[in-house]
Amino acid sequence: MIMEAERQQIVDYGKKMSASGLSVGTSGNISIYDPETGYMAISPSGLGYFDTEAKDIVVMDLDGNIIDGERKPSSEHGLHTIVYKNRPEARAVVHTHSPYATTLAGMHKTLKPVHYAMMGCNVDEVPLVPYVTFGTPELAEAVGEVLRAVPDTRVVLLANHGDVCYQANLPKAFGLAENIEFTARIQWQAMCAGEAVYLTHEQMETARERSKTYGQQGK
Ligand SMILES: [Zn+2]
């Protein structure tokens, strides 16, 4: 089986995504990209995360051709390929309908630095992609436009839909999705209770600098 390790990692993180509440039902999807072959492994369409096995993960190229797999790929495969095409450093993409990030997206609000946990987004304000029907090439193109307009961002919110993020590997991309959801929740709660106070660009830069020496470096 080609990309066996990547397929298994997608299975494992799909279960995590479901258990953590980042995705409801069969919503959300995960992919991993291998730049050597130019292939992307992606979760299948409409299959529960706890019913998915490595063989159900679909391998595609970035032109949308299926290379290996029996299943239909996620309907949002175009959304994933547009990220890899616009961000050469991306190796994993996570797309969720996580409730608080989607609340902001449902209000056509951007995600703001109400907590330094969002520093992995690599921007102080996460841009919003205008509403486009799910699973369409037009949605993928709209995401591509925003990625090109905001070259540093690792995350976009999708109006009335959810969010998309990428990182250098799947554990990091999943962690980023969790931090986006946490920050969105704090922003929404602060907006409900009164007025959120946002960190400045300088404060976010200092946090990003500090994070480079935080934790178990090199692990
Ligand atoms: Zn979606």
Side-chain angles (χ1 to χ4, degrees):
M1 190 176 358
I2 60 167
M3 296 187 82
E4 190 169 357
E6 290 88 347
R7 283 165 135 166
Q8 189 55 49
Q9 201 177 34
I10 291 172
V11 168
D12 296 343
Y13 275 83
K15 288 177 187 160
K16 267 184 191 241
M17 185 161 84
S18 198
S20 67
L22 285 182
S23 79
V24 177
T26 61
S27 73
N29 30 74
I30 296 174
S31 70
I32 297 178
Y33 177 63
D34 175 8
E36 273 180 33
T37 55
Y39 295 161
M40 165 182 83
I42 186 163
S43 45
S45 181
L47 199 63
Y49 291 105
F50 285 91
D51 301 322
T52 303
E53 296 175 39
K55 65 174 171 52
D56 298 315
I57 305 300
V58 184
V59 176
M60 309 179 77
D61 65 20
L62 294 192
D63 295 321
N65 301 304
I66 295 181
I67 305 298
D68 189 34
E70 306 276 302
R71 300 281 186 179
K72 215 173 120 189
S74 159
S75 59
E76 295 295 8
H77 61 85
L79 194 67
H80 290 249
T81 57
I82 205 86
V83 175
Y84 298 120
K85 285 177 178 172
N86 282 277
R87 294 290 194 267
E89 72 277 21
R91 296 291 179 270
V93 171
V94 173
H95 162 54
T96 85
H97 298 176
S98 63
Y100 289 96
T102 306
T103 299
L104 294 182
M107 296 161 77
H108 292 199
K109 299 275 185 202
T110 54
L111 181 70
K112 292 187 175 176
V114 71
H115 195 288
Y116 66 84
M118 61 89 77
M119 64 189 163
C121 299
N122 210 34
V123 286
D124 299 342
E125 185 171 355
V126 170
L128 177 79
V129 177
Y131 181 74
V132 182
T133 308
F134 76 93
T136 59
E138 291 77 16
L139 174 59
E141 198 31 59
V143 168
E145 264 178 44
V146 172
L147 287 175
R148 290 187 289 276
V150 188
D152 288 334
T153 194
R154 291 195 189 113
V155 185
V156 296
L157 294 182
L158 308 178
N160 310 94
H161 184 160
D163 59 19
V164 183
C165 68
Y166 75 87
Q167 254 290 9
N169 56 49
L170 183 50
K172 281 187 176 181
F174 184 80
L176 183 54
E178 288 182 310
N179 279 321
I180 293 161
E181 179 63 357
F182 168 74
T183 307
R185 179 177 178 170
I186 301 306
Q187 183 179 333
W188 181 80
Q189 288 177 171
M191 287 163 75
C192 289
E195 209 172 322
V197 176
Y198 299 112
L199 296 170
T200 64
H201 174 65
E202 210 168 52
Q203 287 168 329
M204 285 300 291
E205 279 293 292
T206 306
R208 277 189 278 265
E209 228 14 75
R210 174 98 183 120
S211 74
K212 290 177 187 164
T213 55
Y214 170 82
Q216 310 291 319
Q217 296 304 311
K219 303 259 168 170

